[in-house]
């Protein structure tokens, strides 16, 4: 059994969540918001979930330097070494490289779980059991493991993983055959029918030794920027040197930079009620629906001849709505969004236009 003291978690919390605008804003993106109406932000839920398997002091949060105060406000009593501040957005590979060498400095024998801060996990017990089984395999092998989710629909907004040979001694663990990024509807339907493809959850488990070797092999220029800073981590020079490293670092995802190139990649296939909560539409599928197919996070809402829509209305406001079908309606103190659900990918364009015209509303 893996020792709990060797389990670490890296929570990636640097995104700006533009597809959840106007609830998610540049100064307070969706990971810091109670999107689900539970009384806790997505980051707080993720931290509490991971603290069930990792010692609290072994959880690192990587976020933008602009969100430092939000992290410390929502997760109090973290040590400075637990909050890794990125001066620039450079995608997931630099984020993971930075966290990898921070952990390596503390515990070269560590097993790391890498988790986005803004995902929905409905069945935490199954999720955590899967994590521990994957961590056990990672501790005894040179494996880079991702979690695969059995698809329930031909989703075009997710990446897919094709499973290869099974690992006989570990049920539900397979060698990865191929990765495919966001297929069109026709291809997604074929993936679903084949039974060989799983959604790519963006959750990873690996030993620090394995991921650092993979970074060195497949992203040597990114790896060297963070590896050479090992003597600097935890000192008063860290902020300055990290700023310099990020200014030189390329923008690249861990999937494209490492996972799609390495030959020691495995997928643990599971079902634990997962969603990346990437859009209002994805949230809609996980909320309770009324008899007309409407989903709402609202305390005072009156609907007439309205169906298949999602509403997010402030607690202190009464909304009376008539005649909508398949819409997104989000009301905040200063912005109202009304958008067809089928056109929600345009929300990013709306945000770009808002940024150009009035940044106060972005």
């Amino acid at each position: 059994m893996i020792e709990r003291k060797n389990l670490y978690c890296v929570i990636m919390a640097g995104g700006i969540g533009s597809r959840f605008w106007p609830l998610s804003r540049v100064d307070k993106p969706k990971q810091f918001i109670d999107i689900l109406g539970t009384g806790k932000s997505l980051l707080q839920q993720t931290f509490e979930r991971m603290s069930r398997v990792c010692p609290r002091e072994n959880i690192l949060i990587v976020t933008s330097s602009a969100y430092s105060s939000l992290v410390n406000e929502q997760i109090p009593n973290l040590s400075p070494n637990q909050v890794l501040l990125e001066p620039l957005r450079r995608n997931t590979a630099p984020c993971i490289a930075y966290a990898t060498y921070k952990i390596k400095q503390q515990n070269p024998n560590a097993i790391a779980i890498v988790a986005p801060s803004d995902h929905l996990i409905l069945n935490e017990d199954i999720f955590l059991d899967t994590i521990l089984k994957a961590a056990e395999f990672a501790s005894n092998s040179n494996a880079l493991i991702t979690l695969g989710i059995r698809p329930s629909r031909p989703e075009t907004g997710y990446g897919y993983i094709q499973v290869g040979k099974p690992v006989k001694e570990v049920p539900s663990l397979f060698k990865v055959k191929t990765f495919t990024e966001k297929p069109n509807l026709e291809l997604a339907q074929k993936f679903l029918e084949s039974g060989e493809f799983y959604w790519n959850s963006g959750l990873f488990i690996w030993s620090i030794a394995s991921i650092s070797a993979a970074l060195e092999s497949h992203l040597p220029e990114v790896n060297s920027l963070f590896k050479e800073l090992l003597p600097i981590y935890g000192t008063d020079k860290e902020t300055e040197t990290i700023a310099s490293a990020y200014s030189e670092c390329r923008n690249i995802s861990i999937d494209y930079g490492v996972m799609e190139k390495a030959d020691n990649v495995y997928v643990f296939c599971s079902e634990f009620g997962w969603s990346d909560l990437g859009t209002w539409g994805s949230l809609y599928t996980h909320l309770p629906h009324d008899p007309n197919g409407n989903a709402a996070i609202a305390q005072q809402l009156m609907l007439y001849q309205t169906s298949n829509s999602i509403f997010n209305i402030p607690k202190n406001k009464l909304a009376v709505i008539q005649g909508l079908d398949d819409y997104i309606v989000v009301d905040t103190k200063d912005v109202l969004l009304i958008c067809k659900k089928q056109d929600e990918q345009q929300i990013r364009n709306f945000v770009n236009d808002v940024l150009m015209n009035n940044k106060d509303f972005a």
Side-chain angles (χ1 to χ4, degrees):
M1 286 289 290
I2 187 172
E3 293 186 67
R4 194 165 182 264
K5 68 178 183 179
N6 288 335
L7 277 174
Y8 284 70
C9 180
V10 178
I11 298 176
M12 299 183 290
I16 59 173
S18 60
R19 288 180 294 177
F20 265 98
W21 183 87
L23 198 64
S24 176
R25 311 292 274 268
V26 171
D27 61 349
K28 193 175 184 180
K30 69 170 181 172
Q31 62 268 31
F32 300 106
I33 297 171
D34 179 14
I35 290 279
L36 299 167
T38 63
K40 295 177 181 176
S41 72
L42 295 173
L43 173 63
Q44 288 170 321
Q45 291 184 56
T46 302
F47 189 91
E48 289 181 8
R49 183 184 306 127
M50 300 316 303
S51 65
R52 291 179 60 189
V53 290
C54 299
R56 191 181 193 277
E57 62 273 17
N58 286 6
I59 301 176
L60 280 63
I61 299 175
V62 189
T63 191
S64 165
S65 55
Y67 304 141
S68 173
S69 59
L70 281 171
V71 169
N72 287 295
E73 174 188 316
Q74 295 198 356
I75 315 289
N77 303 316
L78 294 172
S79 76
N81 263 335
Q82 288 179 265
V83 183
L84 281 56
L85 300 177
E86 296 185 293
L88 301 167
R89 296 180 68 229
R90 286 291 185 262
N91 216 314
T92 53
C95 159
I96 287 170
Y98 182 13
T100 293
Y101 284 103
K102 283 282 284 192
I103 294 171
K104 191 165 191 172
Q105 183 195 55
Q106 300 170 35
N107 184 347
N109 299 315
I111 304 297
I113 304 153
V114 179
S117 60
D118 53 2
H119 285 189
L120 174 68
I121 308 290
L122 291 176
N123 195 323
E124 291 196 357
D125 289 340
I126 294 176
F127 169 73
L128 297 174
D129 182 61
T130 303
I131 286 288
L132 289 172
K133 287 176 179 175
E136 189 67 34
F137 185 76
S139 70
N140 295 303
S141 67
N142 184 35
L144 306 175
I145 304 171
T146 186
L147 298 191
I149 312 297
R150 184 180 297 279
S152 57
R153 60 186 184 276
E155 174 63 55
T156 59
Y158 295 159
Y160 284 74
I161 300 168
Q162 184 181 21
V163 299
K165 293 182 180 179
V167 177
K168 292 180 181 179
E169 62 270 27
V170 185
S172 301
L173 184 66
F174 299 83
K175 195 84 184 290
V176 168
K177 192 172 183 179
T178 62
F179 287 92
T180 303
E181 262 304 305
K182 298 180 180 179
N184 60 33
L185 184 59
E186 182 182 359
L187 190 55
Q189 185 63 46
K190 289 180 179 178
F191 286 174
L192 182 66
E193 293 168 357
S194 76
E196 295 182 6
F197 289 81
Y198 287 73
W199 288 335
N200 186 349
S201 69
L203 288 148
F204 307 103
I205 303 96
W206 43 48
S207 70
I208 288 299
S210 295
I211 186 59
S212 55
L215 287 164
E216 189 159 9
S217 177
H218 303 290
L219 283 177
E221 71 285 3
V222 173
N223 182 73
S224 63
L225 286 171
F226 296 95
K227 182 180 181 180
E228 67 185 18
L229 300 183
L230 270 170
I232 305 297
Y233 295 132
T235 72
D236 56 7
K237 295 181 180 179
E238 181 172 340
T239 300
E240 178 185 348
T241 52
I242 282 296
S244 176
Y246 269 78
S247 69
E248 298 177 39
C249 197
R250 65 190 287 203
N251 186 321
I252 187 169
S253 71
I254 196 72
D255 296 89
Y256 183 73
V258 172
M259 303 298 279
E260 294 180 17
K261 295 180 172 67
D263 60 4
N264 57 331
V265 179
Y266 294 78
V267 57
F268 214 118
C269 299
S270 186
E271 294 180 78
F272 39 77
W274 170 90
S275 171
D276 74 344
L277 289 183
T279 64
W280 287 108
S282 64
L283 175 59
Y284 170 82
T285 64
H286 292 282
L287 291 174
H289 294 172
D290 71 11
N292 295 312
N294 297 306
I297 299 174
Q299 290 188 348
Q300 302 179 85
L301 181 63
M302 299 172 67
L303 300 176
Y304 301 88
Q305 296 89 51
T306 292
S307 55
N308 306 314
S309 297
I310 180 170
F311 304 91
N312 190 294
I313 308 296
K315 293 179 181 178
N316 61 347
K317 183 175 287 189
L318 168 65
V320 182
I321 295 169
Q322 184 269 339
L324 296 185
D325 178 53
D326 203 46
Y327 269 81
I328 298 164
V329 179
V330 183
D331 193 17
T332 69
K333 64 181 181 180
D334 58 350
V335 176
L336 171 64
L337 169 71
I338 302 173
C339 173
K340 288 184 178 180
K341 214 149 36 44
Q342 68 186 32
D343 296 330
E344 68 174 342
Q345 296 301 330
Q346 292 189 39
I347 291 177
R348 277 184 167 173
N349 299 331
F350 301 159
V351 175
N352 289 335
D353 290 344
V354 170
L355 278 168
M356 291 176 64
N357 291 287
N358 194 331
K359 292 183 179 181
D360 291 340
F361 297 110

